[in-house]
Amino acid sequence: TELSRDTIDDAQTYDAAPCYGVLNILFNGFSELVLTIIRLPVFYKHRDLLYYPPWTFTFSKSILGIPNSLLECGVWVVLTYYTIGFALVSCWK
């Protein structure tokens, strides 16, 4: 059903959705932080032995993270956007 915009409860839903999204991103970032810290010894070893410049390490990690980010974004939209009621019902008729 379409989310109306007539009551305080509807306004609270509109306000709570972005806050919930930011919290979700925050907690997903904690798991990424652990993975980054685990990779630090390899990064320091490569840096000290002059194997690769540090930007290549960061660039590769960023590029390899794109598919995961797209998947998380798609799941997030499916689970929240339509269930909260942001989608107009008239679009589906």
Side-chain angles (χ1 to χ4, degrees), residues 55-93:
W55 66 266
T56 58
F57 193 81
T58 308
F59 185 70
S60 65
K61 186 175 184 316
S62 300
I63 294 298
L64 290 174
I66 290 174
N68 186 30
S69 297
L70 291 175
L71 179 67
E72 284 181 6
C73 182
V75 168
W76 177 254
V77 168
V78 168
L79 291 178
T80 59
Y81 190 78
Y82 299 109
T83 56
I84 290 173
F86 289 149
L88 297 175
V89 176
S90 60
C91 294
W92 296 102
K93 290 183 181 180

Side-chain angles (χ1 to χ4, degrees), residues 2-11 14 86 88:
E2 181 181 352
L3 187 64
S4 64
R5 293 174 257 173
D6 300 331
T7 66
I8 297 294
D9 291 333
D10 297 332
Y14 277 114
F86 289 149
L88 297 175

